[in-house]
């Protein structure tokens, strides 16, 4: 990356004042901390009576034309994508792949198309307040998109121990007493069945919980654990659902790692 920085408005004003006072280019350059060639080019670009404001406006106008031109600024390409997306209901991935397959003069990535969609480039006049425009025409109906490797954390709880900390005998299923914990929800979504499966013997124990919340599920797990001999209380491996949020109570009461 070039270390060069464009002249500021303040520096241009200094050049203007010193140049009008017949100061040398070297003196001006030393005052503003720039190379003599920089000052020379600045004055050469503005051969008529030098004006800091005019020079700054010219610089900003030229800067606005810099950078890569957006592919979607091409009207013909924009209309083609609009037709494929809105009329034929193709996905951005399909549009990009088809254009590439046909060796079309238009080449565009699906991420660029997504950016255009989310920026409202393809939106028509919205019929209702709060409408999300053509985003709803996407296959996922405008739901949030995440980058590769994203992990959903909503509705999950921290677990005291990781799977890597589980004993090798539990991983190899060679010893009884290492349990996998889960819940099975009913149709109404209120009650659920708490299940515990021994990894070695595949032995299943279960009991109904009145509600699928942490209090009710913890009470049900406590009831299941009380019926087990202490030597069969190795570890419990649940998922990270909120219904297991009070797992630390079971650890304190039964001394079992979760």
């Amino acid at each position: 990356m070039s270390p060069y920085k464009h002249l500021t408005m303040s520096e241009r004003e200094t050049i203007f004042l010193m140049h009008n006072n017949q100061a040398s280019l070297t003196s001006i350059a030393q005052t503003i901390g720039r190379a003599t060639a920089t000052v020379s080019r600045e004055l050469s670009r503005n051969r008529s009576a030098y004006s800091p404001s005019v020079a700054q406006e010219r610089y900003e106008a030229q800067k606005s034309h810099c950078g890569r031109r957006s592919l979607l600024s091409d009207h013909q390409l924009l209309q083609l994508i609009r037709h494929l997306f809105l009329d034929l209901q193709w996905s951005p991935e399909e549009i990009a792949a088809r254009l590439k397959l046909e060796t079309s003069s238009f080449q565009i990535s699906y991420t660029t198309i997504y950016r255009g969609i989310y920026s409202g480039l393809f939106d028509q006049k919205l019929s209702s307040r709060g409408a999300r425009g053509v985003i709803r025409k996407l296959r996922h109906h405008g739901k949030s998109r995440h980058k590769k490797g994203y992990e959903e954390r909503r509705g999950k709880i921290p677990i005291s121990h990781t799977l890597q900390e589980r004993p090798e005998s539990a991983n190899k299923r060679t010893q009884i007493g290492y349990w996998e914990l889960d819940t099975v929800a009913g149709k109404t979504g209120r009650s659920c069945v708490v299940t515990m499966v021994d990894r070695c013997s595949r032995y299943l124990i279960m009991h109904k919980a009145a509600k699928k919340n942490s209090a009710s599920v913890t009470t049900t797990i406590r009831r299941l654990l009380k019926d087990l001999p202490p030597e069969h209380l190795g570890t419990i491996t649940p998922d990270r659902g909120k219904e297991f949020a009070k797992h630390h109570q079971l650890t304190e009461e039964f001394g079992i790692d979760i």
Side-chain angles (χ1 to χ4, degrees), residues 18-251:
M18 295 186 70
H19 182 63
N20 280 356
N21 290 330
Q22 306 299 317
S24 66
L25 297 181
T26 302
S27 176
I28 298 174
Q30 290 175 346
T31 301
I32 64 175
R34 297 281 188 165
T36 304
T38 300
V39 178
S40 176
R41 284 195 299 269
E42 175 68 9
L43 293 172
S44 298
R45 281 193 291 262
N46 303 272
R47 291 185 178 278
S48 57
Y50 183 75
S51 168
S53 59
V54 173
Q56 184 71 18
E57 289 174 2
R58 182 178 292 126
Y59 157 69
E60 291 176 354
Q62 292 174 344
K63 185 180 178 181
S64 65
H65 297 295
C66 294
R68 183 179 177 183
R69 183 167 170 262
S70 172
L71 291 174
L72 292 175
S73 63
D74 186 301
H75 180 72
Q76 189 176 356
L77 176 59
L78 182 65
Q79 292 305 314
L80 174 60
I81 295 175
R82 186 190 301 275
H83 169 66
L84 295 175
F85 175 54
L86 297 180
D87 299 334
L88 302 185
Q89 298 184 352
W90 287 19
S91 70
E93 289 85 353
E94 289 172 330
I95 295 172
R98 174 55 63 179
L99 292 177
K100 183 178 180 180
L101 182 65
E102 294 179 347
T103 61
S104 168
S105 57
F106 298 120
Q107 296 290 317
I108 188 170
S109 69
Y110 66 85
T111 54
T112 301
I113 300 175
Y114 272 115
R115 280 197 297 269
I117 293 171
Y118 278 92
S119 66
L121 197 59
F122 298 93
D123 282 352
Q124 299 164 334
K125 187 175 181 180
L126 301 181
S127 57
S128 62
R129 185 178 180 182
R132 296 189 64 191
V134 300
I135 293 177
R136 289 298 185 189
K137 292 185 177 294
L138 291 168
R139 300 282 171 83
H140 51 74
H141 303 296
K143 296 178 182 178
S144 299
R145 298 172 65 242
H146 302 293
K147 294 182 179 180
K148 185 177 181 181
Y150 172 83
E151 180 182 355
E152 178 61 75
R153 296 184 180 275
R154 292 178 299 176
K156 294 184 178 181
I157 60 166
I159 296 295
S160 303
H161 303 282
T162 64
L163 287 176
Q164 288 72 22
E165 298 178 63
R166 193 164 59 182
E168 193 63 23
S169 55
N171 295 330
K172 293 184 177 180
R173 304 176 186 268
T174 58
Q175 184 178 340
I176 293 175
Y178 299 105
W179 303 86
E180 291 187 350
L181 178 65
D182 204 353
T183 56
V184 181
K187 287 185 178 180
T188 61
R190 295 181 180 178
S191 62
C192 68
V193 174
V194 178
T195 65
M196 288 179 56
V197 179
D198 179 67
R199 288 180 57 82
C200 176
S201 64
R202 308 299 200 275
Y203 181 69
L204 167 67
I205 56 175
M206 58 184 176
H207 201 285
K208 182 180 178 180
K211 294 182 179 179
K212 192 180 178 181
N213 57 31
S214 59
S216 182
V217 169
T218 301
T219 299
T220 304
I221 298 172
R222 185 179 288 112
R223 183 177 301 172
L224 292 172
L225 293 178
K226 284 182 178 179
D227 294 334
L228 295 174
E231 62 270 20
H232 289 169
L233 297 180
T235 63
I236 295 178
T237 305
D239 58 26
R240 294 175 61 187
K242 286 187 175 181
E243 65 270 25
F244 303 122
K246 296 184 178 181
H247 62 85
H248 60 278
Q249 295 181 4
L250 302 172
T251 299

